[in-house]
Amino acid sequence: VYYRYPKGIQYFKKEVKRRKYHFSEHRPWTAEFKEENAPRKQMKKVFLEPIREWKIFKGDRVEILTGDDKGKQGIVSQVIQERNWVIVEGLNCQLKKIGWSKGFPGIMIKSEKPLLVTSEVKLVDPSDLKLTEVEWRFTESGEKVRVSLRTGRIIPMPHAAQETYDYKTKSTYKESVKDTKDEEVTEITYKPSLKTFEMDIMSIMGIKEDRIPHKTYWY
Amino acid sequence: MNYSLQACSRFTRSILTISKLFTSSIQADAAKCFPRITSFQLCSNFHSTAKRNDLMEFFDDEKNWGQNEVRVGRSWKAEELRIKSNEDLHKLWYILLKEKNMLLTMEEECKQQVRLFPNPERIDKVEESMKNLEKVVLERNEAYFMLETGKTGGRPGYVKIGALGLRHFYRETEHLIPKFMNKKWQSDNASYTHTRDVQDFLQRYKERKFLEKRKARNREKNHVLGLMRRFPNLDMEAVKEQFPSVNIEKIRNSKKARGHKENTI
């Protein structure tokens, strides 16, 4: 959002913002993203192949099909769904020279290039470490799992995929004072009754409203 | 693990007994019966949180002052709130409100002191929880009104055609006097007979709208053709989901859908 009109009856309820955002390897809260999506900046159109169910997650073992590192297997370190990209740790790299000047040769930096999920990368079955096509299926207990079509084995979700901003893994999360416990969250206290929210609260708190409101007209 | 002060069953039961004795609000009850003890202390017997003065509740726990990080759980989801009773939701609303006020105070104070405000996403989490709570409460009220009256209990509104022939959604307001007596309202909301000018304007407006829609349709069609050219193994079901208005069968065999000869079968 570039500009929000101030709050007031004399202003429009409008936001001046970009219609389409250009996503890249830089995440939306970074300065590079802001630069790429600056007002009036035109970036080349990105064609994104629509995918219904996402199959590759952070921490998965994956084999690269194209490029210099063809045939090599690696672990996914980052997933960028907005571009159907996957960044594999240490593979498909490019060397970049930074800070070179007269007399100073500069520093070489190696960074991974993103790979397209649909064509350049394929999941690897952890049991025999070979390529497979993967499908989402339901187990007998009702759990949704990834099944490799070649071997028929279940590919488990990697531990790194459960990472959020709040915690690395669910077991390593330290509860804070203000958190509600699991048992209290799942406890069902709702008893449906033919009352509105306000009527229910009034009956519990013993508030009695005997006053008859003045007749009003809605038009 | 949810981010809220513990609105647990022990708290509910204790407050229920007190509310039967007094007929005032929840906050007043807490102040009368348990001076200066806040809600979470009633149920968390093993947590040792300090007593707070009434105004110091606007500020965070002193341990968190000057910290770089204050880790906290996620927001309440609508599914989790739907299983809670109205009473619990009512209490949770005020807990969330107090938490939000506390966070906003801390944010402002950090700005004034030019210090880092740790984890500003806490405010977003609380706002999300409050939004979900309101959604659940509105759902329940709407269900009652639809059952009893056949209409949602919300503010009535209808589509009205204005002076220029354009349609606006008009929301009804509450008045003390009926419509036939309200001269001011009648003069403000007079109905118009559409003249020739309005008809001409509407014709041109509709033409413009039609052209915009046609351009949008063509744009989508060309985008799908571009996808077909670039991705030989395109998932047609996914394309249909994303672009329902595009007729894929019709454009599949067109020249523009053909990609590089090495990619075509």
Side-chain angles (χ1 to χ4, degrees):
Chain A
V1 174
Y2 300 137
Y3 177 74
R4 260 196 198 98
Y5 280 76
K7 280 185 184 173
I9 198 166
Q10 68 268 46
Y11 302 109
F12 288 121
K13 275 185 192 175
K14 237 165 78 167
E15 283 174 337
V16 178
K17 60 181 176 183
R18 218 188 155 86
R19 268 192 221 166
K20 276 186 191 170
Y21 289 92
H22 181 264
F23 293 96
S24 61
E25 62 267 19
H26 307 292
R27 303 312 284 141
W29 50 85
T30 49
E32 292 95 334
F33 181 89
K34 196 175 175 184
E35 208 185 303
E36 284 173 355
N37 289 282
R40 275 167 259 112
K41 175 116 188 200
Q42 282 167 331
M43 302 289 279
K44 208 172 174 190
K45 182 175 175 180
V46 166
F47 280 88
L48 194 72
E49 196 175 342
I51 297 170
R52 270 182 300 166
E53 282 174 328
W54 197 262
K55 290 168 188 166
I56 301 180
F57 298 89
K58 186 174 159 178
D60 267 333
R61 189 173 276 270
V62 122
E63 191 174 311
I64 299 174
L65 307 172
T66 57
D68 291 333
D69 294 326
K70 181 174 174 176
K72 291 188 190 165
Q73 291 184 1
I75 295 167
V76 171
S77 67
Q78 201 186 359
V79 162
I80 299 165
Q81 282 200 1
E82 295 92 355
R83 286 280 234 135
N84 290 348
W85 274 346
V86 133
I87 292 174
V88 183
E89 216 177 319
L91 294 174
N92 200 46
C93 300
Q94 66 186 9
L95 288 164
K96 212 164 74 168
K97 220 182 205 183
I98 274 175
W100 62 267
S101 60
K102 202 172 179 183
F104 183 59
I107 310 162
M108 289 284 256
I109 289 177
K110 193 161 98 167
S111 60
E112 295 99 340
K113 280 193 287 182
L115 292 150
L116 272 176
V117 144
T118 45
S119 52
E120 291 165 13
V121 133
K122 262 212 169 100
L123 269 176
V124 158
D125 195 335
S127 55
D128 57 359
L129 293 182
K130 283 187 193 161
L131 290 178
T132 41
E133 290 291 335
V134 173
E135 216 181 50
W136 280 102
R137 281 186 205 159
F138 290 95
T139 55
E140 279 166 3
S141 53
E143 198 193 329
K144 205 173 187 188
V145 282
R146 294 180 297 177
V147 172
S148 97
L149 295 176
R150 188 171 53 82
T151 53
R153 288 201 186 84
I154 294 170
I155 298 174
M157 281 293 273
H159 287 294
Q162 61 175 289
E163 187 187 332
T164 62
Y165 186 79
D166 294 326
Y167 55 78
K168 254 265 155 65
T169 56
K170 286 190 180 171
S171 49
T172 57
Y173 176 74
K174 263 188 255 171
E175 272 186 12
S176 81
V177 177
K178 296 193 177 169
D179 288 343
T180 325
K181 303 259 186 235
D182 227 352
E183 313 88 56
E184 284 152 14
V185 172
T186 49
E187 194 189 333
I188 301 171
T189 53
Y190 180 51
K191 277 191 199 128
S193 61
L194 197 63
K195 286 179 184 171
T196 58
F197 178 79
E198 289 85 15
M199 285 159 76
D200 204 1
I201 300 289
M202 279 167 73
S203 64
I204 289 165
M205 292 170 78
I207 300 169
K208 285 201 183 105
E209 190 62 69
D210 296 325
R211 301 176 293 179
I212 300 161
H214 195 279
K215 180 151 172 68
T216 53
Y217 304 88
W218 282 87
Y219 49 81
Chain B
M1 291 155 275
N2 282 321
Y3 177 40
S4 80
L5 300 172
Q6 294 179 20
C8 62
S9 52
R10 275 179 286 167
F11 173 45
T12 316
R13 260 178 258 135
S14 55
I15 282 293
L16 251 176
T17 49
I18 296 148
S19 60
K20 278 177 192 158
L21 301 168
F22 301 94
T23 54
S24 43
S25 69
I26 295 165
Q27 299 297 84
D29 284 342
K32 276 181 191 170
C33 314
F34 303 94
R36 294 211 204 103
I37 297 173
T38 46
S39 51
F40 61 86
Q41 275 194 314
L42 288 167
C43 37
S44 55
N45 296 319
F46 50 88
H47 286 291
S48 53
T49 40
K51 269 189 197 177
R52 306 277 210 89
N53 298 324
D54 294 314
L55 274 181
M56 284 315 282
E57 285 196 59
F58 273 109
F59 296 90
D60 207 353
D61 192 9
E62 281 185 51
K63 280 184 262 173
N64 293 332
W65 290 5
Q67 293 290 323
N68 285 333
E69 256 186 10
V70 177
R71 283 273 181 233
V72 126
R74 63 166 171 81
S75 57
W76 282 87
K77 289 188 206 169
E79 327 165 301
E80 290 161 357
L81 292 166
R82 273 191 201 109
I83 57 171
K84 299 290 173 202
S85 66
N86 286 327
E87 200 195 335
D88 281 343
L89 291 179
H90 191 54
K91 283 166 191 160
L92 184 59
W93 178 266
Y94 287 100
I95 290 166
L96 290 169
L97 184 66
K98 283 177 78 175
E99 188 62 28
K100 188 169 150 185
N101 284 336
M102 183 273 280
L103 290 169
L104 290 171
T105 322
M106 290 304 287
E107 194 186 21
E108 187 55 41
E109 194 54 37
C110 288
K111 262 194 222 173
Q112 297 272 330
Q113 303 294 327
V114 192
R115 280 180 197 276
L116 173 75
F117 175 56
N119 298 68
E121 80 271 0
R122 291 182 287 170
I123 302 172
D124 297 314
K125 284 178 186 174
V126 173
E127 280 180 355
E128 207 186 316
S129 302
M130 288 174 95
K131 202 171 83 174
N132 289 335
L133 210 160
E134 194 181 21
K135 182 176 154 192
V136 167
V137 167
L138 288 173
E139 272 174 16
R140 288 182 187 175
N141 282 353
E142 215 181 287
Y144 174 85
F145 280 109
M146 285 301 278
L147 247 175
E148 296 287 293
T149 59
K151 294 179 206 168
T152 59
R155 187 175 171 190
Y158 56 90
V159 175
K160 201 175 176 187
I161 297 174
L164 287 175
L166 298 170
R167 293 179 294 177
H168 307 279
F169 192 75
Y170 174 76
R171 288 213 177 267
E172 290 179 357
T173 44
E174 205 172 10
H175 304 268
L176 288 170
I177 49 175
K179 218 197 266 196
F180 71 90
M181 284 167 69
N182 201 343
K183 301 291 176 202
K184 184 172 187 298
W185 185 88
Q186 281 173 20
S187 63
D188 288 341
N189 295 278
S191 59
Y192 303 88
T193 49
H194 290 154
T195 57
R196 182 79 199 170
D197 306 327
V198 173
Q199 281 177 20
D200 287 342
F201 163 72
L202 280 177
Q203 192 183 43
R204 279 155 215 219
Y205 183 74
K206 280 178 186 170
E207 273 174 22
R208 196 190 193 176
K209 275 283 199 57
F210 171 79
L211 290 170
E212 276 173 19
K213 280 187 189 167
R214 189 170 65 178
K215 275 191 209 162
R217 263 187 286 133
N218 277 338
R219 219 180 302 132
E220 272 198 0
K221 186 190 88 176
N222 286 323
H223 181 76
V224 171
L225 285 167
L227 286 175
M228 287 166 133
R229 252 179 280 150
R230 287 165 174 81
F231 305 111
N233 306 318
L234 196 59
D235 184 5
M236 288 307 169
E237 296 295 322
V239 172
K240 264 183 213 162
E241 264 179 47
Q242 205 178 21
F243 305 101
S245 58
V246 175
N247 189 355
I248 291 167
E249 305 308 317
K250 200 176 174 187
I251 60 175
R252 200 185 267 246
N253 298 317
S254 77
K255 264 197 285 182
K256 285 191 182 174
R258 183 185 66 80
H260 197 271
K261 62 174 182 183
E262 284 181 7
N263 277 338
T264 50
I265 304 159

